[in-house]
Amino acid sequence: MKEAPKILLIYTGGTIGMVQDYATGHLKAFDFGELLEQIPELYQLECEIETISFPNPIDSSDMNTGHWKLLAKLIGKHYNSYNGFVVLHGSDTMSYTASALSFLLENLSKPVVFTGSQLPIGDLRTDAKENLITSVQIAALKQEGRPVVQEVCLYFENKLYRANRTTKMSSEQFQAFDSPNYPTLGTSGVHLRMKQEYLWRSVPHKKLRVHTDLDNRIGLLKLFPGIHPSWVHALLANPEMKALVLESYGAGNASTESWFIEELRTAVKRGLHIVNVTQCPGGSVLMGKYATSAALAEMGVIDGKDITTEAALAKLMYMLGRDVSSKSFKTIFETSLRGEMT
């Protein structure tokens, strides 16, 4: 008989881990030690499921780089003992955490599936059970003795996505996430269908490297018409800031007003890494296509291509934490490391 896949379920916090206390009407934390009692359908997966929780589960709004490091360390510590990992996480910042883990777990060759829910696991109309059951099933999939999924991904409402390509699109719909610039990795209906041609393939026999050095001295500047010069100056002139994500218009376009261009030019000259990403949910930055982005390309602003804001922020923290040299920083950022950009 084939040995049953071993799956480690990691609970960080979030809506999925709540149940209704019918005596008081309040929501309370779910005891994941009783997972199989609450969701007996998991027995049908023929998996060996074990659970572990953050010492103090948190709302995902409180997620920070310390929690990202803890999660990476947990997966690294248990990596050789399990066939796959399912991370239960609040949906609000799930794309940020999942993107970060894709960079922190280098040479990953096993599935790390993030999931959550819009309604608590004990709610009558909950989406939590289906999301959890299918995520475990995906984490256990094998083909010719190797895991089908070998990357950090995100499963929500019948769709599997590459994690560092996702963004949360709705606070109300069960279909809360989307991956505008990369196809879904799989879909769940009557059958679970994986799209092999879009899955990440790890290099065989390379050992997992867990990175925990992150530098969060970065900023985010979203452009809008009428933005105040002094506010832009205050942000760009901050001596502690090492990198900035610039959310520009359309295909990477920005104001051509002299004060704005000069602020950016001064910041780049003093060594600030500026990454140009589009505010649009879908599409790509095309540096230099229009006159409104030509100056950015000329001064050395990094082309974010079709990377999401969430992945861009996580990638900057990762690269700064690795102390990538200024000389090669732009080249490396513009190179896809974990399938995060086309």
Side-chain angles (χ1 to χ4, degrees):
M1 292 181 64
K2 292 183 179 180
E3 187 177 348
K6 293 185 65 177
I7 306 299
L8 181 62
L9 194 65
I10 303 174
Y11 177 55
T12 69
T15 300
I16 194 170
M18 308 300 288
V19 292
Q20 188 86 29
D21 186 334
Y22 294 106
T24 65
H26 299 290
L27 293 174
K28 63 180 182 179
F30 175 71
D31 183 358
F32 277 89
E34 301 173 358
L35 178 66
L36 291 175
E37 294 178 25
Q38 295 291 330
I39 313 176
E41 295 92 339
L42 289 170
Y43 280 114
Q44 297 181 45
L45 298 179
E46 299 180 347
C47 294
E48 185 179 337
I49 301 172
E50 296 182 9
T51 62
I52 188 171
S53 294
F54 271 16
N56 298 297
I58 60 169
D59 186 286
S60 72
S61 298
D62 288 322
M63 190 64 64
N64 58 42
T65 56
H67 299 115
W68 293 352
K69 296 175 186 179
L70 173 60
L71 191 51
K73 288 178 181 177
L74 279 173
I75 293 172
K77 177 181 178 181
H78 298 283
Y79 189 72
N80 293 325
S81 302
Y82 295 89
N83 300 102
F85 304 84
V86 174
V87 180
L88 303 181
H89 193 290
S91 62
D92 285 348
T93 62
M94 189 186 299
S95 288
Y96 291 93
T97 301
S99 293
L101 264 290
S102 74
F103 296 112
L104 295 179
L105 301 174
E106 185 179 1
N107 301 328
L108 183 68
S109 61
K110 295 181 181 181
V112 175
V113 186
F114 276 77
T115 196
S117 66
Q118 294 286 63
L119 291 174
I121 204 165
D123 194 277
L124 182 63
R125 299 178 54 252
T126 187
D127 55 330
K129 287 188 177 181
E130 194 280 324
N131 285 347
L132 175 54
I133 291 168
T134 306
S135 293
V136 172
Q137 185 179 12
I138 291 168
L141 286 176
K142 280 192 173 186
Q143 188 174 51
E144 297 178 355
R146 297 194 70 198
V148 172
V149 175
Q150 301 173 19
E151 60 182 292
V152 181
C153 52
L154 189 157
Y155 179 81
F156 223 90
E157 188 62 15
N158 305 322
K159 291 185 178 180
L160 181 69
Y161 309 98
R162 175 165 296 158
N164 56 33
R165 292 292 196 136
T166 63
T167 189
K168 187 175 181 182
M169 302 295 287
S170 175
S171 61
E172 294 185 354
Q173 301 299 318
F174 285 153
Q175 190 70 55
F177 290 86
D178 197 10
S179 172
N181 291 323
Y182 196 76
T184 55
L185 305 181
T187 56
S188 174
V190 175
H191 302 286
L192 181 59
R193 301 189 183 279
M194 304 301 293
K195 300 178 181 179
Q196 299 281 352
E197 66 271 28
Y198 298 124
L199 293 170
W200 181 265
R201 281 291 164 256
S202 62
V203 179
H205 312 302
K206 275 204 169 186
K207 186 178 180 181
L208 176 72
R209 294 185 63 190
V210 179
H211 301 281
T212 56
D213 292 323
L214 292 166
D215 191 333
N216 63 355
R217 289 176 293 177
I218 62 176
L220 173 63
L221 174 59
K222 182 168 186 170
L223 298 183
F224 58 89
I227 194 168
H228 201 286
S230 64
W231 187 82
V232 174
H233 174 76
L235 180 64
L236 293 177
N238 188 324
E240 292 298 312
M241 190 163 63
K242 301 299 181 184
L244 175 83
V245 173
L246 177 70
E247 279 199 352
S248 58
Y249 309 122
N253 304 312
S255 170
T256 57
E257 289 190 65
S258 58
W259 71 264
F260 181 73
I261 296 300
E262 197 52 41
E263 287 287 358
L264 291 181
R265 196 185 307 278
T266 300
V268 171
K269 283 182 177 179
R270 73 169 174 83
L272 184 70
H273 304 292
I274 300 179
V275 179
N276 188 10
V277 304
T278 176
Q279 296 179 12
C280 301
S284 177
V285 163
L286 298 170
M287 296 271 282
K289 180 178 181 180
Y290 299 98
T292 44
S293 67
L296 304 183
E298 178 272 328
M299 72 177 71
V301 168
I302 298 169
D303 189 342
K305 302 180 184 179
D306 60 354
I307 197 171
T308 64
T309 294
E310 295 92 332
L313 291 165
K315 189 172 183 178
L316 282 175
M317 291 187 201
Y318 165 73
M319 288 179 60
L320 290 171
R322 304 258 345 242
D323 202 23
V324 174
S325 70
S326 296
K327 185 177 180 180
S328 57
F329 200 96
K330 185 176 188 295
T331 300
I332 292 176
F333 193 96
E334 292 178 351
T335 301
S336 180
L337 302 180
R338 310 284 193 270
E340 72 280 1
M341 58 171 61
T342 302

